[in-house]
Short mmCIF file of all heavy atoms in Angstrom, two decimals:
data_model
loop_
_atom_site.label_atom_id
_atom_site.label_comp_id
_atom_site.label_asym_id
_atom_site.label_seq_id
_atom_site.Cartn_x
_atom_site.Cartn_y
_atom_site.Cartn_z
N LEU A 10 -42.10 -48.28 -15.75
CA LEU A 10 -41.69 -49.35 -14.83
C LEU A 10 -41.77 -50.72 -15.51
O LEU A 10 -40.93 -51.59 -15.28
CB LEU A 10 -42.57 -49.33 -13.58
CG LEU A 10 -42.37 -48.14 -12.64
CD1 LEU A 10 -43.41 -48.16 -11.52
CD2 LEU A 10 -40.97 -48.13 -12.06
N GLY A 11 -42.77 -50.90 -16.37
CA GLY A 11 -42.88 -52.15 -17.12
C GLY A 11 -41.72 -52.33 -18.08
O GLY A 11 -41.18 -53.44 -18.22
N ILE A 12 -41.32 -51.25 -18.74
CA ILE A 12 -40.17 -51.30 -19.64
C ILE A 12 -38.90 -51.65 -18.86
O ILE A 12 -38.06 -52.43 -19.32
CB ILE A 12 -40.00 -49.95 -20.38
CG1 ILE A 12 -41.19 -49.72 -21.32
CG2 ILE A 12 -38.69 -49.92 -21.17
CD1 ILE A 12 -41.21 -48.34 -21.96
N ASN A 13 -38.77 -51.08 -17.67
CA ASN A 13 -37.62 -51.40 -16.83
C ASN A 13 -37.53 -52.88 -16.50
O ASN A 13 -36.45 -53.47 -16.48
CB ASN A 13 -37.70 -50.61 -15.51
CG ASN A 13 -37.19 -49.20 -15.65
OD1 ASN A 13 -36.92 -48.73 -16.75
ND2 ASN A 13 -37.08 -48.50 -14.55
N GLN A 14 -38.69 -53.49 -16.26
CA GLN A 14 -38.70 -54.92 -15.95
C GLN A 14 -38.21 -55.75 -17.12
O GLN A 14 -37.50 -56.74 -16.94
CB GLN A 14 -40.12 -55.36 -15.55
CG GLN A 14 -40.60 -54.78 -14.24
CD GLN A 14 -39.69 -55.14 -13.08
OE1 GLN A 14 -39.36 -56.32 -12.88
NE2 GLN A 14 -39.26 -54.16 -12.32
N VAL A 15 -38.57 -55.34 -18.33
CA VAL A 15 -38.10 -56.05 -19.52
C VAL A 15 -36.58 -55.90 -19.66
O VAL A 15 -35.86 -56.88 -19.92
CB VAL A 15 -38.81 -55.50 -20.79
CG1 VAL A 15 -38.21 -56.13 -22.05
CG2 VAL A 15 -40.31 -55.77 -20.71
N ILE A 16 -36.09 -54.69 -19.46
CA ILE A 16 -34.65 -54.45 -19.56
C ILE A 16 -33.90 -55.26 -18.50
O ILE A 16 -32.83 -55.83 -18.77
CB ILE A 16 -34.34 -52.94 -19.40
CG1 ILE A 16 -34.94 -52.15 -20.56
CG2 ILE A 16 -32.84 -52.70 -19.30
CD1 ILE A 16 -34.84 -50.64 -20.41
N ALA A 17 -34.45 -55.31 -17.29
CA ALA A 17 -33.80 -56.05 -16.20
C ALA A 17 -33.70 -57.54 -16.50
O ALA A 17 -32.76 -58.20 -16.05
CB ALA A 17 -34.56 -55.81 -14.90
N GLN A 18 -34.68 -58.06 -17.25
CA GLN A 18 -34.62 -59.47 -17.62
C GLN A 18 -33.50 -59.74 -18.62
O GLN A 18 -32.94 -60.83 -18.66
CB GLN A 18 -35.97 -59.91 -18.21
CG GLN A 18 -37.12 -59.91 -17.24
CD GLN A 18 -36.90 -60.87 -16.07
OE1 GLN A 18 -36.43 -61.99 -16.24
NE2 GLN A 18 -37.25 -60.43 -14.86
N LEU A 19 -33.18 -58.74 -19.42
CA LEU A 19 -32.12 -58.88 -20.43
C LEU A 19 -30.74 -58.64 -19.84
O LEU A 19 -29.76 -59.24 -20.30
CB LEU A 19 -32.38 -57.90 -21.59
CG LEU A 19 -33.70 -58.08 -22.34
CD1 LEU A 19 -33.89 -56.96 -23.36
CD2 LEU A 19 -33.74 -59.44 -23.03
N TRP A 20 -30.66 -57.75 -18.84
CA TRP A 20 -29.35 -57.44 -18.24
C TRP A 20 -29.55 -57.03 -16.79
O TRP A 20 -30.18 -56.01 -16.51
CB TRP A 20 -28.65 -56.32 -19.01
CG TRP A 20 -27.32 -55.94 -18.44
CD1 TRP A 20 -26.39 -56.78 -17.89
CD2 TRP A 20 -26.77 -54.62 -18.34
NE1 TRP A 20 -25.28 -56.06 -17.47
CE2 TRP A 20 -25.49 -54.74 -17.74
CE3 TRP A 20 -27.22 -53.36 -18.72
CZ2 TRP A 20 -24.67 -53.64 -17.51
CZ3 TRP A 20 -26.40 -52.27 -18.49
CH2 TRP A 20 -25.15 -52.41 -17.89
N HIS A 21 -29.01 -57.85 -15.90
CA HIS A 21 -29.09 -57.52 -14.46
C HIS A 21 -27.77 -56.85 -14.08
O HIS A 21 -26.75 -57.50 -13.88
CB HIS A 21 -29.29 -58.79 -13.63
CG HIS A 21 -29.44 -58.51 -12.16
ND1 HIS A 21 -30.64 -58.60 -11.49
CD2 HIS A 21 -28.53 -58.12 -11.24
CE1 HIS A 21 -30.46 -58.29 -10.22
NE2 HIS A 21 -29.18 -58.00 -10.04
N ARG A 22 -27.82 -55.54 -14.00
CA ARG A 22 -26.62 -54.79 -13.59
C ARG A 22 -26.63 -54.64 -12.07
O ARG A 22 -27.58 -54.07 -11.51
CB ARG A 22 -26.60 -53.42 -14.24
CG ARG A 22 -25.31 -52.64 -13.96
CD ARG A 22 -25.40 -51.22 -14.51
NE ARG A 22 -24.08 -50.65 -14.68
CZ ARG A 22 -23.85 -49.41 -15.07
NH1 ARG A 22 -24.87 -48.60 -15.32
NH2 ARG A 22 -22.62 -48.95 -15.21
N PRO A 23 -25.61 -55.09 -11.38
CA PRO A 23 -25.58 -54.95 -9.92
C PRO A 23 -25.52 -53.49 -9.50
O PRO A 23 -25.02 -52.63 -10.23
CB PRO A 23 -24.30 -55.69 -9.51
CG PRO A 23 -23.98 -56.57 -10.67
CD PRO A 23 -24.44 -55.84 -11.88
N ARG A 24 -26.01 -53.21 -8.30
CA ARG A 24 -25.90 -51.87 -7.74
C ARG A 24 -24.43 -51.51 -7.53
O ARG A 24 -23.59 -52.40 -7.35
CB ARG A 24 -26.66 -51.79 -6.41
CG ARG A 24 -28.16 -52.01 -6.51
CD ARG A 24 -28.86 -50.89 -7.23
NE ARG A 24 -30.30 -51.11 -7.29
CZ ARG A 24 -31.21 -50.25 -6.83
NH1 ARG A 24 -30.84 -49.11 -6.28
NH2 ARG A 24 -32.50 -50.52 -6.95
N PRO A 25 -24.10 -50.21 -7.51
CA PRO A 25 -22.70 -49.82 -7.31
C PRO A 25 -22.06 -50.41 -6.07
O PRO A 25 -20.89 -50.82 -6.09
CB PRO A 25 -22.79 -48.29 -7.22
CG PRO A 25 -24.01 -47.94 -7.99
CD PRO A 25 -24.98 -49.06 -7.74
N TYR A 26 -22.81 -50.47 -4.98
CA TYR A 26 -22.25 -50.98 -3.72
C TYR A 26 -22.13 -52.50 -3.71
O TYR A 26 -21.52 -53.06 -2.82
CB TYR A 26 -23.08 -50.50 -2.52
CG TYR A 26 -24.57 -50.64 -2.68
CD1 TYR A 26 -25.23 -51.84 -2.44
CD2 TYR A 26 -25.33 -49.54 -3.07
CE1 TYR A 26 -26.59 -51.97 -2.59
CE2 TYR A 26 -26.72 -49.66 -3.22
CZ TYR A 26 -27.33 -50.86 -2.98
OH TYR A 26 -28.69 -50.97 -3.13
N GLU A 27 -22.73 -53.16 -4.72
CA GLU A 27 -22.55 -54.60 -4.85
C GLU A 27 -21.31 -54.94 -5.66
O GLU A 27 -20.73 -56.01 -5.50
CB GLU A 27 -23.79 -55.22 -5.51
CG GLU A 27 -25.05 -55.14 -4.68
CD GLU A 27 -26.25 -55.73 -5.39
OE1 GLU A 27 -26.50 -55.36 -6.56
OE2 GLU A 27 -26.95 -56.57 -4.79
N SER A 28 -20.94 -54.01 -6.54
CA SER A 28 -19.80 -54.26 -7.43
C SER A 28 -18.50 -53.64 -6.93
O SER A 28 -17.42 -54.06 -7.35
CB SER A 28 -20.10 -53.70 -8.83
OG SER A 28 -21.22 -54.34 -9.40
N HIS A 29 -18.60 -52.64 -6.05
CA HIS A 29 -17.41 -51.92 -5.60
C HIS A 29 -17.42 -51.82 -4.08
O HIS A 29 -18.42 -51.40 -3.49
CB HIS A 29 -17.36 -50.52 -6.22
CG HIS A 29 -17.43 -50.51 -7.71
ND1 HIS A 29 -16.33 -50.73 -8.52
CD2 HIS A 29 -18.48 -50.32 -8.55
CE1 HIS A 29 -16.69 -50.66 -9.79
NE2 HIS A 29 -17.99 -50.42 -9.84
N THR A 30 -16.33 -52.18 -3.47
CA THR A 30 -16.24 -52.11 -2.01
C THR A 30 -16.02 -50.67 -1.57
O THR A 30 -15.43 -49.86 -2.28
CB THR A 30 -15.07 -52.97 -1.50
OG1 THR A 30 -13.85 -52.52 -2.11
CG2 THR A 30 -15.29 -54.44 -1.84
N GLY A 31 -16.50 -50.36 -0.39
CA GLY A 31 -16.28 -49.04 0.20
C GLY A 31 -17.19 -47.95 -0.32
O GLY A 31 -16.97 -46.77 -0.01
N VAL A 32 -18.20 -48.31 -1.08
CA VAL A 32 -19.13 -47.30 -1.60
C VAL A 32 -20.05 -46.82 -0.48
O VAL A 32 -20.63 -47.63 0.24
CB VAL A 32 -19.96 -47.88 -2.77
CG1 VAL A 32 -21.13 -46.94 -3.11
CG2 VAL A 32 -19.09 -48.08 -3.99
N TYR A 33 -20.16 -45.50 -0.34
CA TYR A 33 -21.08 -44.93 0.64
C TYR A 33 -22.48 -44.97 0.05
O TYR A 33 -22.72 -44.48 -1.06
CB TYR A 33 -20.68 -43.48 0.94
CG TYR A 33 -21.63 -42.77 1.88
CD1 TYR A 33 -21.62 -43.04 3.24
CD2 TYR A 33 -22.53 -41.82 1.39
CE1 TYR A 33 -22.49 -42.38 4.10
CE2 TYR A 33 -23.39 -41.16 2.24
CZ TYR A 33 -23.37 -41.45 3.59
OH TYR A 33 -24.23 -40.80 4.44
N HIS A 34 -23.42 -45.58 0.77
CA HIS A 34 -24.77 -45.69 0.24
C HIS A 34 -25.79 -45.70 1.37
O HIS A 34 -25.52 -46.15 2.48
CB HIS A 34 -24.92 -46.96 -0.61
CG HIS A 34 -24.64 -48.23 0.13
ND1 HIS A 34 -25.64 -49.02 0.66
CD2 HIS A 34 -23.47 -48.85 0.43
CE1 HIS A 34 -25.09 -50.08 1.24
NE2 HIS A 34 -23.79 -50.00 1.13
N LEU A 35 -26.98 -45.19 1.05
CA LEU A 35 -28.07 -45.11 2.02
C LEU A 35 -29.25 -45.95 1.58
O LEU A 35 -30.39 -45.68 1.97
CB LEU A 35 -28.49 -43.65 2.20
CG LEU A 35 -27.42 -42.71 2.77
CD1 LEU A 35 -27.89 -41.27 2.77
CD2 LEU A 35 -27.02 -43.14 4.17
N THR A 36 -29.01 -46.94 0.77
CA THR A 36 -30.04 -47.87 0.33
C THR A 36 -29.48 -49.28 0.33
O THR A 36 -28.26 -49.46 0.17
CB THR A 36 -30.55 -47.51 -1.08
OG1 THR A 36 -31.49 -48.49 -1.52
CG2 THR A 36 -29.40 -47.45 -2.07
N GLN A 37 -30.33 -50.26 0.53
CA GLN A 37 -29.89 -51.65 0.60
C GLN A 37 -30.52 -52.51 -0.50
O GLN A 37 -30.43 -53.73 -0.46
CB GLN A 37 -30.26 -52.25 1.97
CG GLN A 37 -29.66 -51.51 3.16
CD GLN A 37 -28.14 -51.60 3.20
OE1 GLN A 37 -27.55 -52.55 2.71
NE2 GLN A 37 -27.51 -50.59 3.78
N SER A 38 -31.16 -51.88 -1.46
CA SER A 38 -31.86 -52.63 -2.50
C SER A 38 -30.90 -53.47 -3.34
O SER A 38 -29.77 -53.07 -3.60
CB SER A 38 -32.61 -51.67 -3.42
OG SER A 38 -33.21 -52.37 -4.49
N HIS A 39 -31.37 -54.64 -3.75
CA HIS A 39 -30.59 -55.52 -4.62
C HIS A 39 -31.28 -55.72 -5.96
O HIS A 39 -30.93 -56.62 -6.71
CB HIS A 39 -30.36 -56.87 -3.93
CG HIS A 39 -29.55 -56.76 -2.67
ND1 HIS A 39 -28.21 -56.47 -2.66
CD2 HIS A 39 -29.92 -56.86 -1.36
CE1 HIS A 39 -27.77 -56.43 -1.41
NE2 HIS A 39 -28.80 -56.65 -0.60
N ASP A 40 -32.25 -54.85 -6.25
CA ASP A 40 -32.86 -54.85 -7.58
C ASP A 40 -31.83 -54.42 -8.61
O ASP A 40 -30.82 -53.78 -8.25
CB ASP A 40 -34.06 -53.91 -7.63
CG ASP A 40 -35.22 -54.40 -6.77
OD1 ASP A 40 -35.24 -55.61 -6.47
OD2 ASP A 40 -36.08 -53.58 -6.41
#
């Protein structure tokens, strides 16, 4: 999880439902 935090600081990739409309999803996280 600590390694993930370092990677996230270098590249924030949006969730699929944030980048593409109409995606079926059961989570609302914006991490």
Side-chain angles (χ1 to χ4, degrees):
L10 291 174
I12 294 172
N13 278 9
Q14 292 302 309
V15 174
I16 295 173
Q18 293 299 318
L19 299 174
W20 179 38
H21 183 107
R22 186 186 200 184
R24 296 291 181 124
Y26 47 82
E27 294 178 310
S28 299
H29 305 278
T30 58
V32 167
Y33 176 75
H34 59 98
L35 297 174
T36 176
Q37 301 295 332
S38 175
H39 297 289
D40 292 340

